[in-house]
Amino acid sequence: MQKISFGDEEELPSLLPPRLLSCSVLLTPQALSDHMENICGYLMKYTNLVTGWQYRFFVLNNDAGLLEYFVNEQSRHLKPRGTLQLAGAVISPSDEDSHTFTVNAASGEQYKLRATDAKERQHWVSRLQICTQHHTEAIGKNNPPLKSRSFSLASQGSINSPGLQRRPSQNAVSFFNVGHHRLPAGKRGPILQPDHLVDVREMMSQAEGQQRDLIRSIECLPVSGHLTSLDQDLLMLKATSMATMNCLNDCFHILQLQHASQQKGSLPAGTTISWLEPKISLSNHFKNGAAQNFPAEINKPASVREEQSNAEPCQLTREPEEINPDEELEDLCDDKEDDLGGVEEQRSVILHLLSQLKLGMDLTRVVLPTFILEKRSLLEMYADFMSHPDLFIAITNGATPEERMIRFVEYYLTSFHEGRKGAIAKKPYNPIIGETFHCSWRMPKSEVATDGGSNISAHSEQIALSKDLEGQAESDYYTVKFVAEQVSHHPPVSGFYAECVERKMCVNAHVWTKSKFLGMSIGVTMVGEGLLSLLEHEEEYTFSLPCAYARSILTVPWVELGGKVNINCAKTGYSASINFHTKPFYGGKLHRVTGEVKQNATNTVVCRVQGEWNSVLEFTYSNGETKYVDLTKLSVTRKRVRPIEKQGPFESRRLWQHVTESLRDGDIDKATEHKRALEERQRNEERLRAETETPWCTKYFIKEGDGWVYHKPLWRAVSAVQTQQMDAN
């Protein structure tokens, strides 16, 4: 017996289920009936933008397969304010937080609900899923399985063909409404017959033929004149019609699988039901409706052939390499991404790409057009978040735990502005597995904020310890070293690490970037966790990252951050909660952020912050003082990077140098060739490892539990030095 579960997405068409997740064995029939129980209680229900969240009293009626809600418990004897049929519904815990979940009915109606805590949410979700499974399978047992029949995607005859002469009850509307309405007691609803699906398939085949005729008519229009094949409205019609047919085909595919499972009794163990792959390869980018023909192998530049021939990176040394900061030079590269020309000129390419995507579709394996790329790797983008090393180093100079937490929040909120190269939403290169990026920053000690009351003797010990760690004399500047590595390809996980030995502080993080298509925007969830270690104070701060959104991808794309992040220090009991607010549909400001720092033991707020993460931030402290930080005027310390000729073959800038150079020259076709060569090489290597059952070996990061940790973190080195000093004494 199987459970089919879905994830929740915004703005989904009413008849289309959200993205499908893996099927897994849930419960036997006997265990299912044992776990079914009627439950009731208060939940918060999201109504609309105006009303927001409201408390409502919910009742799960297992016998009828209904979820009902009332204004309050006292009105339970009255008619419910709302009722959902659970047969065929999808119960989805939300990624927003640990309290929220959604109930998506087969009719397209959705309840967005919030429990008081994670435990209560789990209780409701599990009971709802059990009830849903029971009633969904009950309907399936009453319906005959789907007849075996192959269908052509081509148009099957005219509207007057015999297969389309149906009884009035056999239309698509009646089919989709089966089981959506509550029937009087003792009466039984219409049974779904196999020919219903046959008729729907024939209707869809006819619609597909008409949709192809529409596309041909548009593409046959002249390229100039009053109405052309490049008309933006026609391109939009072409894209949306293709996307609609793809979604309908996926829905039909789901229904076929459900009937097949009823015919066989159950789905095989490990079966996965997911969205169908696009019918047209996304790696083939289109320009003005025509496929681009890339040059033959013999005509490819030597650099492309070299990229493709270098297909054995595992034969290269995977031993960690110690980078000498003295070899690094100040980075003079300034690739701002403010040019809209490429996006505007290639709008038809974007429309065609959108026609292949589906709402909620995971974009991890989707090859995006080259012209929307930034001229840097994602690993280098993480490094650019460290562009204010003075604020980073100043964290450990705070005199009290409260001050150190506030300084960390100040640094955290100032890091995102410089991480974006301009206001235009372009995408950094997807790092290939094994790719690395190294850099460092030098910050004069006189420019780092200190605390007047700091302990001088402790600072002297700090200097002595840093000399032991580095084996060199004290300099006039602090050095912050950074290294990042792509440790996994599927899923795409990056690890990065930064340290300042002189100040005994380091940060380690791993991030899994999950990107999804949301209609007119793309959402990227940064799954993972970071850990800041202040070894001088023996404090550790855990933190997460917000989600990122590329909005208005058909016009002027722009970046928005959203979601709630938390910063916690278990030792001191201080925590921070930061909300990145997405712009509401009506009114509101862009890029708004709010937050507060608390002492957990007393629940006292010691600092509040508000403003825009890319403009001005206002910090209000418990003593009544207020500080404003204008991010646009903050000085940026340029990172130091080794020249490309001194970099290893898998360091980001050397690896992507030909793509970057072609983008700078505006040669999109050439950049695409180099990019495809790198991606093809990665696929070949992955295929070879799978055939030889050779595991991938990382270079700088080691997997520990669910995370990735730098192989030589500063906390281990400090511990070793301190042990040696104690033994010497």
Side-chain angles (χ1 to χ4, degrees), residues 361-512:
M361 182 177 179
D362 184 359
L363 301 183
T364 302
R365 297 176 184 266
V366 174
V367 180
L368 298 177
T370 307
F371 66 85
I372 70 170
L373 296 178
E374 290 186 23
K375 295 182 272 292
R376 61 173 175 170
S377 170
L378 178 66
L379 299 185
E380 184 171 351
M381 189 193 80
Y382 291 140
D384 288 335
F385 286 132
M386 301 285 296
S387 294
H388 301 299
D390 52 332
L391 299 179
F392 175 71
I393 297 170
I395 297 171
T396 194
N397 291 340
T400 64
E402 176 183 320
E403 185 177 354
R404 289 190 290 275
M405 174 60 82
I406 292 175
R407 288 192 179 196
F408 183 29
V409 171
E410 290 177 354
Y411 161 73
Y412 183 90
L413 289 175
T414 58
S415 63
F416 296 100
H417 174 57
E418 188 57 28
R420 296 302 317 163
K421 293 292 184 182
I424 305 304
K426 288 196 172 184
K427 182 183 180 300
Y429 310 140
N430 283 334
I432 71 169
I433 190 169
E435 178 182 336
T436 62
F437 182 79
H438 301 266
C439 67
S440 65
W441 294 265
R442 287 183 176 176
M443 176 55 56
K445 294 181 178 179
S446 59
E447 297 182 17
V448 177
T450 59
D451 181 75
S454 61
N455 188 301
I456 296 177
S457 62
H459 186 61
S460 299
E461 293 177 5
Q462 180 78 13
I463 294 173
L465 183 58
S466 67
K467 290 180 182 178
D468 290 335
L469 288 169
E470 290 200 316
Q472 61 185 25
E474 182 185 6
S475 62
D476 295 329
Y477 53 82
Y478 294 120
T479 300
V480 177
K481 300 178 184 177
F482 178 91
V483 59
E485 179 181 6
Q486 190 70 8
V487 297
S488 172
H489 180 47
H490 292 303
V493 180
S494 309
F496 61 89
Y497 173 84
E499 68 178 20
C500 178
V501 175
E502 300 96 327
R503 299 304 293 127
K504 285 174 60 180
M505 59 187 303
C506 61
V507 60
N508 187 101
H510 63 277
V511 180
W512 170 16

Side-chain angles (χ1 to χ4, degrees), residues 537-701:
H537 307 286
E538 298 182 348
E539 295 172 356
E540 292 184 339
Y541 298 74
T542 59
F543 62 93
S544 54
L545 296 171
C547 300
Y549 301 92
R551 306 293 194 190
S552 303
I553 55 180
L554 278 181
T555 53
V556 181
W558 52 278
V559 176
E560 185 175 33
L561 299 182
K564 181 180 180 180
V565 299
N566 295 292
I567 303 173
N568 292 287
C569 179
K571 179 183 177 181
T572 64
Y574 280 91
S575 65
S577 176
I578 302 171
N579 278 290
F580 292 85
H581 301 271
T582 55
K583 186 181 182 301
F585 190 76
Y586 294 107
K589 291 184 177 180
L590 289 173
H591 313 306
R592 193 166 68 90
V593 63
T594 59
E596 59 184 23
V597 178
K598 279 186 179 181
Q599 216 302 320
N600 297 333
T602 61
N603 203 33
T604 304
V605 177
V606 298
C607 177
R608 298 184 189 275
V609 59
Q610 62 178 350
E612 291 81 44
W613 59 264
N614 63 350
S615 181
V616 178
L617 295 170
E618 176 187 335
F619 294 86
T620 304
Y621 306 102
S622 56
N623 60 5
E625 293 183 1
T626 300
K627 180 173 76 173
Y628 293 90
V629 178
D630 188 344
L631 302 178
T632 61
K633 296 180 180 179
L634 277 182
S635 61
V636 174
T637 303
R638 288 185 176 273
K639 59 181 177 286
R640 299 169 61 84
V641 185
R642 288 191 300 174
I644 288 182
E645 59 271 15
K646 291 188 177 183
Q647 294 183 12
F650 282 87
E651 291 191 53
S652 295
R653 289 198 174 180
R654 180 174 171 183
L655 186 70
W656 295 95
Q657 62 174 324
H658 300 303
V659 178
T660 303
E661 290 169 0
S662 300
L663 288 176
R664 286 176 183 156
D665 295 339
D667 192 338
I668 302 299
D669 292 342
K670 190 174 180 181
T672 301
E673 286 185 46
H674 291 298
K675 177 173 172 285
R676 292 180 71 224
L678 287 172
E679 292 165 346
E680 184 61 30
R681 186 182 76 184
Q682 180 174 224
R683 283 189 285 269
N684 292 336
E685 294 164 358
E686 189 174 14
R687 192 179 306 115
L688 179 63
R689 288 195 301 273
E691 292 172 355
T692 59
E693 298 183 352
T694 303
W696 175 258
C697 301
T698 54
K699 191 170 185 177
Y700 293 102
F701 288 82

Side-chain angles (χ1 to χ4, degrees), residues 48-106:
N48 51 50
L49 288 171
V50 178
T51 311
W53 293 91
Q54 292 182 321
Y55 272 106
R56 292 291 180 258
F57 189 77
F58 281 82
V59 176
L60 172 59
N61 187 334
N62 276 289
D63 295 333
L66 299 174
L67 178 64
E68 303 171 324
Y69 77 89
F70 306 83
V71 175
N72 50 46
E73 187 175 5
Q74 290 71 31
S75 61
R76 184 174 176 177
H77 63 283
L78 302 176
K79 183 180 178 181
R81 291 291 297 270
T83 301
L84 278 188
Q85 282 277 357
L86 292 178
V90 179
I91 318 299
S92 307
S94 174
D95 293 335
E96 297 176 16
D97 52 48
S98 60
H99 302 172
T100 306
F101 64 99
T102 58
V103 181
N104 298 274

